[in-house]
Amino acid sequence: MWLSFFDAHNTVTPTEFVGLDNYTEILGDPSFISSLTTFAVFSLFIVPATYALSLALALMVHRLRFAQAFFRSVFFLPTACSYVAAAIIWKLSIFNGVRYGLANTVLGWFDGSGIAWLSTTRPPWYWLVIVTARLWLQSGFSMVILLAGLQRIPPTLYEAAAVDGARPGWQVFRHITFPQLRATSVAVVLLLVVNAFQAFDEFYNLLSTASGYPPYARPPLVYLYYAALGQGQNLGLGSAGAVILALIIAAVTVTQARWSGLGRRED
């Protein structure tokens, strides 16, 4: 925050105070606004997809009568993987765009032509690469949280529902399981939104090339990285962007928590 009020080119000990000039400059930069749009698109894809997959995995593991610990560990294991390593695997082995890449090999089995997954052509296939990588990396963590919420639901609720004639499956899930998971679900969604704001590794490692980073699909942290550590090394501008991003995350988190009633007493 202190650096954001100074002209801090190539230094962390600036002397020229510029007030709010850095904030004015970054808010007037179309590239920064575009990065926020990229985040909005990314979160629109990844938050619902991760929640749905995590909930499905949690329900499946919760109903297992044997090897529950094994499957819980298997689904959670990708969480321990480095985002950089996962992005490189996705880029070089699965979605590399060449004929013998895994994704194009599978398409070839169905007489499909190869796709340049990380190119700028339409449709923008790179979104599929980025979303699937993040989905694989973070679904296990959300699954564990939702599984803990499922284990806290009193069995007596299901017994009472069965006595009242509730049909197992969708009816029980809709009227008992899902409402009982409200607080847990809100916490999971909040974490997913914050993680989407902090997306960097998969975007940078999947889309950067020898000639630099392309102007498309540039989330806020990638923009701030190039602003602060790129050719200009404008640490003041990058710091102003970091402060703005932190305020946006705080505002979104508080708004979502209040709208969903997180922490509100049930009575």
Side-chain angles (χ1 to χ4, degrees):
M1 184 176 294
W2 179 76
L3 278 176
S4 68
F5 295 109
F6 287 84
D7 181 8
H9 282 82
N10 305 306
T11 180
V12 293
T13 57
T15 57
E16 183 180 350
F17 181 79
V18 295
L20 298 176
D21 288 356
N22 287 324
Y23 291 92
T24 304
E25 180 178 352
I26 198 168
L27 290 175
D29 188 353
S31 296
F32 180 69
I33 305 302
S34 176
S35 72
L36 295 178
T37 303
T38 298
F39 153 74
V41 174
F42 178 59
S43 61
L44 191 64
F45 282 127
I46 196 62
V47 173
T50 303
Y51 177 79
L53 179 60
S54 302
L55 182 58
L57 293 175
L59 289 169
M60 182 180 67
V61 173
H62 182 63
R63 294 177 180 177
L64 290 176
R65 297 187 180 276
F66 61 93
Q68 185 181 99
F70 170 77
F71 285 103
R72 184 173 63 240
S73 301
V74 167
F75 292 135
F76 182 78
L77 193 60
T79 304
C81 182
S82 165
Y83 276 51
V84 175
I88 292 175
I89 292 172
W90 250 244
K91 183 175 184 177
L92 299 181
S93 300
I94 302 177
F95 296 100
N96 53 14
V98 300
R99 178 182 177 185
Y100 299 103
L102 179 59
N104 283 340
T105 299
V106 173
L107 287 177
W109 295 344
F110 301 95
D111 296 327
S113 58
I115 296 176
W117 297 97
L118 298 175
S119 70
T120 59
T121 57
R122 300 292 180 179
W125 291 110
Y126 58 84
W127 278 116
L128 177 64
V129 184
I130 292 172
V131 170
T132 54
R134 174 60 75 95
L135 195 63
W136 180 75
L137 285 165
Q138 69 180 13
S139 293
F141 180 78
S142 300
M143 178 210 69
V144 170
I145 299 177
L146 290 168
L147 183 59
L150 288 171
Q151 292 172 346
R152 293 180 56 190
I153 300 177
T156 54
L157 293 178
Y158 296 105
E159 296 171 0
V163 171
D164 290 339
R167 294 189 298 271
W170 169 249
Q171 192 175 24
V172 172
F173 173 79
R174 178 186 176 186
H175 295 287
I176 297 179
T177 304
F178 192 70
Q180 290 294 316
L181 284 176
R182 183 181 64 85
T184 305
S185 298
V186 171
V188 168
V189 171
L190 284 175
L191 291 174
L192 291 176
V193 172
V194 173
N195 287 338
F197 262 113
Q198 298 173 338
F200 175 82
D201 293 316
E202 61 269 58
F203 280 90
Y204 183 81
N205 289 282
L206 285 171
L207 299 179
S208 62
T209 61
S211 58
Y213 193 91
Y216 61 90
R218 177 179 291 186
L221 284 192
V222 173
Y223 172 88
L224 296 179
Y225 173 80
Y226 279 97
L229 302 176
Q231 186 175 3
Q233 291 199 358
N234 192 340
L235 299 177
L237 186 67
S239 298
V243 172
I244 293 173
L245 186 60
L247 293 175
I248 292 175
I249 293 175
V252 170
T253 302
V254 171
T255 301
Q256 185 176 352
R258 288 185 176 274
W259 174 76
S260 58
L262 182 64
R264 184 184 305 163
R265 291 173 58 92
E266 295 296 335
D267 54 356

